[in-house]
Structures are given as C-alpha cells and as structure tokens.
Amino acid sequence: MKNKIALLKRHPKYKTFIHWGKLISITGSAQLVVQAVGFACGILIIRLLPVHEYALYTIANTLLGTMTILADGGISAGVMAQGGKVWQDKQKLGVVLATGLDLRRKFAIVSLLITVPILFYLLVHNDASILTATLIVIALIPAFYAALSDSLLGIVPKLHQNILPLQKNQVAVGLGRLFLTALTMFVFPWAFIAVLSAGIPRIWGNFQLKKIVYGIADKKQQPDKEVRNEILTLVKRIMPTSIYYCVSGQITIWLISIFGNTSSIAQLGALSRLGMILSLFSAIISTLIIPRFAKLATNRSLLLSRFILIMGILNLILSFIIVGAYLFPTQILWLLGNGYKGLNFELFLSVAGSCISLLGGIVFSIYTSRGWSLPPVFLIITNLLSVIVFASILDLSTLKGVMYLNIAVGLISLIQTSLFSIYKILKIKKV
C-alpha cells in the first residue's frame, strides 16, 4: 500500500491534481456557504413577504441587474483582458484597475438615467403606490453603488488566484445580509426593506475588498489614456451585446411584468430563486477557470481542449440538476411555502432555463476574457428574430408561455456563443 502511495506521489500529474483539489475545495466550500446563506435569505424573503410585495421585490432585483449590466457595458471584460497581460506588475495592474473604475463611474450615471424611470413605471404599473415605488428606488442605491466596484475589484485577486481572502469577504457579506434580513423581515415585511438589507452588507464588503486588492495592485495609480482606449475598444464591441443580454437574459420578468399579473411575477421570482444553487458553479468558474483561461497561451490545441473540458463537465453536472427537478418537484417546492404549491412543471421549465442561461453566460465570459467579441449586429438580429417568432406562437400572459420563450431564446444564444468560441479558437494558427 505504501509503495502504491509513493508511486502515486511520483506521478507527474500528482502535484497538479493536489493543487486543483485544494483550490476547488477552498472555493467550493466557501461558495457553498455563500450560496447556502443566499438561498436561506431568498427563502426567508419568499415566505415572509406577501405575494404582492414579493412581486415588487422581483421587479426591483431584475432592474438592479439591468442597472449593473449597463454600468459595466463590457468594462469588466476589458479589465480582465488587460489585467491578464500585466497581472504580475503591481503598478501596471493598478493602472488597469484605476482606469476601469473611472470608466465604470461614468457609465453608472447613464445607467441610472435610463433604468430608474423604467423601474418606477413597472412598479406603479404593478399596483405599487408612488411612495412605495420611491422607497424601492432609493433602497436600490446601496446595492448599485457596491456593484459599481466589487466586480472590478474582484478581478485582481482572481488573476493572482488569491482566493481565500476573497471567499472570506463573500461569506461575511452573505452572513451580514442574512442577519439583516432575519432582523427586519419579521417586523417590516416590505419589498424596499428586503432590497436595503441586501445592499448595506455589500457596501461594507467593498471596503474590506479594497484592503485585499490594494495589497496586490498599486492604489496610487491614475487612469491611463492608452489603457482606457484598449478597454473602450472592447467595450464598443461588447456593449451592444451586453445591452441585448441585459434585456434578453431577463426577458421573462420583463414580459410577465407587462403582460401578466403580480401573482405570476411572484411565482416566476420564487422559482428563479431556486436556481440560485447554480450560482455555486458560476462562482467557481468565474473565480478559478475564467482568469486562468484569460492567461492561457495563444495555442489552438490548448484552448480548444480546455474549452471542451469546461463545457463537458458543466453539461454533465447541469443535466443531473435538471433531472432532479423533474423527479422531485414536490419536495423542492415545499421550500417556497404554500403560496407556490402545484408549480411542478413550471419548476422543471425554470430550472432548465436557468441551466441554459448559465451555460450561455459562462461561454460569453470565456470568450470575452480573451478579448474576443461576437459581431453584435449578427447576434442581436438573430436573437430578436427568434424572440419575435416564438413570441408570436406562445401565450406570453401565462407563466408557462414566458418560460418556454426563455428556454428557446437561451438555446439559440448558447449555440451561437459556443460556435463563435470554437471558431475563434480554430482561427488561431498552429505553432
């Protein structure tokens, strides 16, 4: 037995296996805690908020995602791509980060001007009072403020694979949110309180994250014109696609908010909350895999093999999750409470749609991390045509109809992004 162990340790892949085992166990265990805490928060909010208030909360969260995507516009992909080139140089990495943060602040103003009126309209359209709508908009500000910087700040420790401090910060933020949610929801079961409880811990987490980041990147560096131009070059290519994904990725909430009713919005939001378990895989991929893929040598065989490996493992795992949702819907729906019983098939559709969206998002992150961008005109026209075609044959006033549309559009988008990634890899000349 000892001889076999000694032989195993001498294997050329042994150290690599141990290294990845440690990274995945650290990241996976921390993300398991983060997602478990986030899931607990979500279930607590679903059970304690009245159906109408939860519908308003769902709309607010959807628009928060829209605000964040518009405020990014591809900046984070640009920072990842530029940071991947200079990640070992503290000063140059500081320049890239400072430039990205400066651009993000300017984009944020435009984002607010566009999304706040839309949010206000949708809230009032779904029977929120003027006062309630105003309070929800104000409550979103802390979360939006934190989102402006945390996604960019997190790139620095990810590039250096300084994972443990980053995970500790995320766990602390999650626990803070759970504490505030539990403290307030029993007494104040209102949507704006739930939104505020999520935003305040993120601001605290940002301050702590800066301590981690500026031990790796030089804080004193100023935005650089050349780096800005490099990032904006990628932003110009990605921005139209980001705007499209901003709408299409949340198309179910948008459509049900306009054509449906508050009960359907609440049901869709509650079912989507169950998809949070998928965030565990997304977090591990974005923390461990995407930064490493960004730093890989421009080698066709290497990039293709890694891309196929990533997609193969993810497809296998997500297939088990979809089958689980189909086989055990009653047990899963029990978590949501009595207000959401009987949504067995809707649960299956929701989980399938979430898995497809997750895969599409990961492929998008993979190719943008290399500085590649799918021609936006081709992408948007193809997907808009698919939306028009499926919208014309589905009943979008029903929950099932909207979910079928989400799956169809997600599949088309996934196929497009996957084929584009393979095409870009195969274009690389053999060394």
Side-chain angles (χ1 to χ4, degrees), residues 99-152:
T99 306
L101 289 171
D102 181 63
L103 283 172
R104 177 67 69 81
R105 284 189 286 269
K106 294 172 181 176
F107 277 47
I109 296 172
V110 178
S111 174
L112 284 172
L113 292 174
I114 294 172
T115 54
V116 167
I118 297 173
L119 171 59
F120 199 86
Y121 165 77
L122 288 176
L123 291 171
V124 174
H125 178 71
N126 285 279
D127 302 323
S129 66
I130 299 295
L131 176 60
T132 299
T134 303
L135 289 172
I136 290 174
V137 170
I138 294 171
L140 275 180
I141 292 175
F144 179 64
Y145 173 79
L148 290 179
S149 54
D150 63 5
S151 60
L152 292 184

Side-chain angles (χ1 to χ4, degrees), residues 392-410:
S392 65
I393 60 177
L394 295 169
D395 183 0
L396 301 183
S397 65
T398 67
L399 190 57
K400 285 182 181 179
V402 171
M403 286 181 168
Y404 278 127
L405 177 66
N406 185 49
I407 291 173
V409 174

Side-chain angles (χ1 to χ4, degrees), residues 203-268:
I203 292 181
W204 175 85
N206 260 21
F207 285 114
Q208 301 304 312
L209 184 57
K210 287 178 182 178
K211 296 178 183 178
I212 300 168
V213 169
Y214 290 120
I216 304 171
D218 189 351
K219 184 179 181 180
K220 297 178 182 178
Q221 297 301 314
Q222 298 297 316
D224 179 79
K225 185 177 180 181
E226 186 176 341
V227 175
R228 179 186 288 109
N229 290 337
E230 289 288 339
I231 293 175
L232 285 177
T233 299
L234 186 57
V235 166
K236 288 174 185 177
R237 299 201 304 264
I238 292 178
M239 173 69 86
T241 307
S242 295
I243 293 173
Y244 173 75
Y245 276 126
C246 181
V247 177
S248 66
Q250 300 166 340
I251 195 169
T252 50
I253 298 293
W254 287 92
L255 291 173
I256 208 75
S257 297
I258 296 170
F259 299 110
N261 51 56
T262 53
S263 177
S264 295
I265 296 170
Q267 289 173 348
L268 183 59

Side-chain angles (χ1 to χ4, degrees), residues 368-384:
T368 54
S369 75
R370 300 292 303 185
W372 303 334
S373 62
L374 184 61
V377 174
F378 173 77
L379 173 72
I380 293 172
I381 289 177
T382 304
N383 282 276
L384 280 178

